[in-house]
Amino acid sequence: QVQLVESGGGLVQPGGSLRLSCAASGSIFSINAMGWYRQAPGKQRELVATITTDGSTNCADSVKGRFTISRDNIKNTVYLQMNSLKPEDTAVYLCYAVQRTITWGQGTQVTVSS
């Protein structure tokens, strides 16, 4: 089983940037894809970005042009670079990994506010 540890959340002003990290450990050899969801209070969980083992990426329309997902295969880490942040980006961001089942990280809070 894979373990995921997220970091990089925090408080940022509108227009600012943050970079989230998700470090994978354990049985990482069978991971097919990794990515990020977010959960805002009173809203459904939203898929933010995905990166597959062949490097293909996909981002939600709401973050295209502002967020970029990438990975470091040596560090077994996936990153979410978030630029031009808006108040509506405020949420708990959860890393996930797809194997035969889906594993979730513990989540990291991102708050965009002046």
Side-chain angles (χ1 to χ4, degrees):
Q1 187 174 356
V2 65
Q3 293 81 44
L4 303 174
V5 178
E6 299 124 325
S7 60
L11 173 64
V12 64
Q13 292 186 343
S17 298
L18 283 174
R19 188 178 78 158
L20 305 183
S21 300
C22 176
S25 61
S27 301
I28 63 173
F29 58 90
S30 60
I31 293 176
N32 298 312
M34 292 181 66
W36 297 87
Y37 272 79
R38 65 186 181 186
Q39 179 82 62
K43 294 186 178 181
Q44 288 189 330
R45 186 172 290 187
E46 176 188 19
L47 177 60
V48 177
T50 301
I51 186 165
T52 63
T53 52
D54 65 1
S56 299
T57 62
N58 190 38
C59 288
D61 288 342
S62 58
V63 305
K64 279 181 180 177
R66 300 188 297 121
F67 291 11
T68 302
I69 189 169
S70 62
R71 67 182 186 189
D72 183 327
N73 290 332
I74 294 176
K75 295 182 178 179
N76 298 318
T77 298
V78 171
Y79 303 99
L80 185 68
Q81 178 66 44
M82 305 185 295
N83 299 327
S84 302
L85 282 161
K86 305 175 182 180
E88 51 262 44
D89 294 319
T90 295
V92 174
Y93 284 71
L94 300 118
C95 178
Y96 73 94
V98 180
Q99 298 172 288
R100 297 176 72 179
T101 59
I102 297 176
T103 300
W104 297 92
Q106 79 284 1
T108 186
Q109 177 69 46
V110 172
T111 302
V112 185
S113 175
S114 55

